[in-house]
Amino acid sequence: MMRTIPNNEDNNNNNEEVGNDYEGSLKKGPWTPDEDAILIDYVNTYGEGNWNSVPKNSGLSRCGKSCRLRWANHLRPNLKKGAFSPEEERIIVDLHAKLGNKWARMASQLPGRTDNEIKNFWNTRIKRRERAGLPIYPPEVIRDATLYHLREEQYFEKPYNSSLSSSSFPPLLSSYPKKLNASNHYHALVSPKKLNASNHYHALVNPKKNQPISLYGSSSNLFNYHGFVVSNNSAQPVSNDYQYYNNGFNASSIMPPLAPSSVSSSQTPPDSVTPASSNVSAVDGFIGASSKVNSEQYEVAPFSPQGNSGLLGALVVEGQSILRNNKIKSEDSTVAAAAEKSSNKRKSIVIMENAERGTTVESALLKKKNSGKSSNETPMSSSGKKQIGKEASLEEMDVSWDDDLCSLLNNFPTEMPTPEWYSTGGDNKAEPLGRESQPSAPPPAPTVDQELGWNVGTSWNNMPSIC
DNA sequence: AAATGGCCCAACCGCAAGTAC
DNA sequence: CGTACTTGCGGTTGGGCCATT
C-alpha cells in the first residue's frame, strides 16, 4: 500500500526554482539507471504526484518536474516502447486532423504512448512528408476531420476561440452559417463515408424544427441538390437531380465525373441559368454543395479560413492537391479555377433544399441573387451559379440552427464512422471512398493514395527522404 | 577512416490552468 | 480575493546514432 507522501514543503528554502539548497545540486541531462531505480522505488512507495517532494524525500538531485517527466515518459508501467505501428500512425494522423497539436489528448487515445513520443513522431516523420510536398492527411482523414469539426463546433457549442493556439483548434467552422433553417428547408450534414460503406448517401435532414427525419425512411421528400465529394480515385459529383424520392441515395445517383465539355467559362455566361444536372457547382476538395431554388443554382460557401491554422491550411492545400491529382484541373480548367478560387473558403457541408419551398431562406437566396449584381457580387462558379457567401448565409438566413443541429445529430450515426484504414484486417479492408460507389465509372487512374504515398498499411518510413 | 549532415529522441523550458492557502 | 504553488502541456533544444560522401 501507498504511504502518505511526506511533505516537507512547509520548510523554508524548499523552492528549487529560486535560490535554495537544491538548485545548485540539481542535475540535468540524461537519467542514469540508478536514478531511475530510485524514482521507481519512490513512486511505488508513495505513488504519483507531489513531484516537488520527490527530490527532497528520495535523495534524487532532480527537480520535481524532471521526475514527473521521467516517470511519465519512461518509467511508468504499461508504456509501449518501440516504433509506432501503422495502425498507431494512422490514428495519430487522424487525431491530429481532428485535434491539432494536442499531444496529450492524442496520447490518451493511444494506450501506452506518451505525448512526447507522439509529438516527436509528428515533428519528424510527418513533417518530413510536409517538407516533401506530400499531403499530411489522406483524403479519408480530411473528410473525417471536417465532419468531426462540424459536429464539434455546433453540437458541443464550442465556437472557435481565436485566443487559442492557432494550431490547437482549427477555426473550421467559425464562419459556418449557423442560421440556415426555415420550416420548408432541409439542411443536411452528409457523411460521405457512407457512400463508401454502403453505397447509400446518408443525409440527415431536418425538415422542421423538432421533427427530424432522415432521408432513410422518408418516402415523401424531394430534394434537389448537387454535391461534390472527393474520393480516393476522383472527385465525384453527386446529385439527386433525378428528383430522388425515398430511402436514400444509392450509387446510381452518383453522376459520372465531369465531362470537359459540361462546364466551360466560355459557354456559360455568369448569369445564365445552368441546368441543374449539368455539372458540379462546387469544386472545393471536400464536399462542395449547391442548392437549387426556383431553377436557379446557388453555391453555398459557408467557410472562410481566416485566421487559418496549420491544419486548416493543410486541409485546404490538400484539397487542392487532391483535386489536382485527380486531374480535375487538366480536365476542366474552368472547374479547376473555381476550385482554386473556392477552396480557400469552403468546407464540407451539403445543404439540401426541400423542393417544396417558398421560404425565408429561399427568399433570401433570391433576394441575394437579384440584388447581388453589383461589383461586389459573390464570385460566379464555372457554371454561372451564384455563390452565397457566408455573410449572406449568416445574415439573411436568420433562423435558429442549434435546434436543428440537435435534430440532425439525433439522426446522425451515433458513432463516427470508423475510418477504413483503421481496419487492420488486410483482406477485408473497406474500399476507399468512391470505388464501390461508382460502379459505372471508368477504370480508375492511380488513386490519390497511391500517387501521394498513402498506401494503406505502409509505413511512414517508406516515404522518400528530404533533400 | 574521417567528416558531414540528417534523424531521432530524451529532456528542458516557459507558460498557463488549476488548486490550496 | 489574491498569492503561491503544483501540475500539465506544448515548443524547443541538444546529444547520440547512423548513413552518406
Side-chain angles (χ1 to χ4, degrees):
Chain A
M1 296 299 292
M2 290 180 186
R3 282 181 262 159
T4 303
I5 298 172
N7 190 340
N8 301 328
E9 290 177 333
D10 51 346
N11 294 335
N12 55 5
N13 294 331
N14 277 346
N15 185 345
E16 74 237 16
E17 304 224 346
V18 288
N20 57 40
D21 293 340
Y22 284 101
E23 186 179 27
S25 58
L26 284 179
K27 189 181 169 188
K28 291 184 181 179
W31 281 64
T32 66
D34 288 345
E35 289 175 311
D36 284 346
I38 293 172
L39 182 57
I40 290 169
D41 182 61
Y42 182 90
V43 174
N44 286 338
T45 304
Y46 299 108
E48 297 181 43
N50 214 351
W51 294 107
N52 278 341
S53 69
V54 175
K56 296 156 194 162
N57 298 307
S58 67
L60 278 173
S61 297
R62 299 277 183 171
C63 71
K65 241 176 158 179
S66 181
C67 293
R68 184 186 68 82
L69 210 61
R70 183 66 185 174
W71 175 259
N73 288 343
H74 298 283
L75 303 179
R76 68 182 162 93
N78 302 322
L79 274 179
K80 259 188 211 169
K81 293 294 181 182
F84 287 100
S85 68
E87 175 76 359
E88 288 174 316
E89 294 177 1
R90 286 169 178 152
I91 291 172
I92 290 170
V93 173
D94 185 53
L95 288 172
H96 191 273
K98 293 182 173 76
L99 304 174
N101 292 359
K102 293 293 185 183
W103 311 118
R105 285 185 64 187
M106 294 163 73
S108 70
Q109 304 294 312
L110 289 164
R113 297 298 187 178
T114 69
D115 55 351
N116 210 37
E117 267 183 302
I118 296 169
K119 181 171 56 181
N120 285 333
F121 169 75
W122 188 266
N123 287 336
T124 55
R125 273 152 288 183
I126 305 295
K127 287 292 180 68
R128 202 199 308 169
R129 284 187 66 89
E130 189 175 32
R131 291 196 302 271
L134 294 171
I136 296 175
Y137 309 103
E140 293 85 357
V141 169
I142 293 174
R143 286 193 300 268
D144 288 347
T146 302
L147 191 58
Y148 172 86
H149 287 129
L150 284 167
R151 300 177 70 199
E152 280 285 295
E153 276 280 327
Q154 297 173 5
Y155 186 49
F156 299 107
E157 297 182 353
K158 291 196 298 186
Y160 174 65
N161 182 348
S162 60
S163 68
L164 292 173
S165 162
S166 62
S167 62
S168 65
F169 200 98
L172 188 59
L173 301 174
S174 59
S175 57
Y176 182 76
K178 297 176 189 292
K179 308 287 185 185
L180 269 176
N181 184 39
S183 58
N184 288 336
H185 279 75
Y186 299 163
H187 308 296
L189 300 176
V190 176
S191 169
K193 297 198 71 59
K194 293 301 179 184
L195 284 169
N196 177 41
S198 63
N199 280 350
H200 278 76
Y201 204 109
H202 280 256
L204 309 172
V205 181
N206 183 21
K208 294 180 181 177
K209 277 189 181 180
N210 303 322
Q211 292 183 347
I213 63 167
S214 164
L215 272 180
Y216 284 91
S218 169
S219 60
S220 60
N221 295 286
L222 171 61
F223 301 93
N224 291 325
Y225 69 89
H226 293 263
F228 192 79
V229 177
V230 173
S231 73
N232 278 351
N233 291 330
S234 62
Q236 285 292 313
V238 294
S239 171
N240 68 341
D241 263 344
Y242 315 105
Q243 298 189 339
Y244 228 76
Y245 288 83
N246 78 28
N247 309 330
F249 196 55
N250 64 25
S252 65
S253 299
I254 298 176
M255 303 190 307
L258 281 177
S261 59
S262 65
V263 284
S264 157
S265 58
S266 62
Q267 76 180 77
T268 309
D271 287 334
S272 69
V273 175
T274 303
S277 60
S278 66
N279 63 64
V280 177
S281 62
V283 183
D284 62 9
F286 302 97
I287 306 170
S290 71
S291 59
K292 181 180 178 182
V293 178
N294 289 339
S295 300
E296 292 283 358
Q297 283 291 324
Y298 294 87
E299 289 188 14
V300 179
F303 173 69
S304 178
Q306 293 174 346
N308 198 0
S309 72
L311 168 63
L312 197 51
L315 290 173
V316 170
V317 168
E318 285 180 34
Q320 294 170 337
S321 173
I322 289 165
L323 290 175
R324 281 191 288 270
N325 281 281
N326 281 298
K327 301 182 171 48
I328 295 301
K329 189 172 186 176
S330 63
E331 290 180 4
D332 188 321
S333 60
T334 305
V335 174
E340 290 289 334
K341 197 172 211 171
S342 62
S343 62
N344 67 341
K345 57 177 170 312
R346 280 197 291 266
K347 277 293 179 292
S348 61
I349 184 158
V350 174
I351 296 175
M352 294 184 174
E353 306 287 346
N354 190 340
E356 305 166 10
R357 54 182 152 275
T359 69
T360 309
V361 176
E362 200 165 86
S363 300
L365 293 168
L366 291 172
K367 178 178 162 188
K368 179 74 179 178
K369 170 205 164 219
N370 293 330
S371 63
K373 302 300 194 294
S374 60
S375 59
N376 61 351
E377 186 176 23
T378 50
M380 293 294 176
S381 74
S382 59
S383 58
K385 297 170 213 156
K386 293 160 187 63
Q387 296 177 342
I388 298 173
K390 63 170 183 175
E391 295 81 4
S393 298
L394 285 168
E395 294 168 9
E396 299 180 353
M397 304 176 185
D398 186 20
V399 190
S400 170
W401 174 259
D402 294 338
D403 290 344
D404 298 341
L405 262 178
C406 293
S407 300
L408 286 175
L409 289 161
N410 284 339
N411 278 344
F412 207 83
T414 54
E415 297 179 23
M416 285 289 285
T418 304
E420 297 91 312
W421 70 354
Y422 284 7
S423 177
T424 52
D427 293 333
N428 57 353
K429 283 191 179 68
E431 281 294 308
L433 174 64
R435 287 189 183 138
E436 62 182 282
S437 61
Q438 47 173 315
S440 61
T447 66
V448 176
D449 281 3
Q450 289 164 348
E451 289 183 2
L452 302 183
W454 276 114
N455 291 323
V456 172
T458 57
S459 167
W460 290 93
N461 298 329
N462 292 339
M463 64 165 295
S465 60
I466 309 303
C467 298

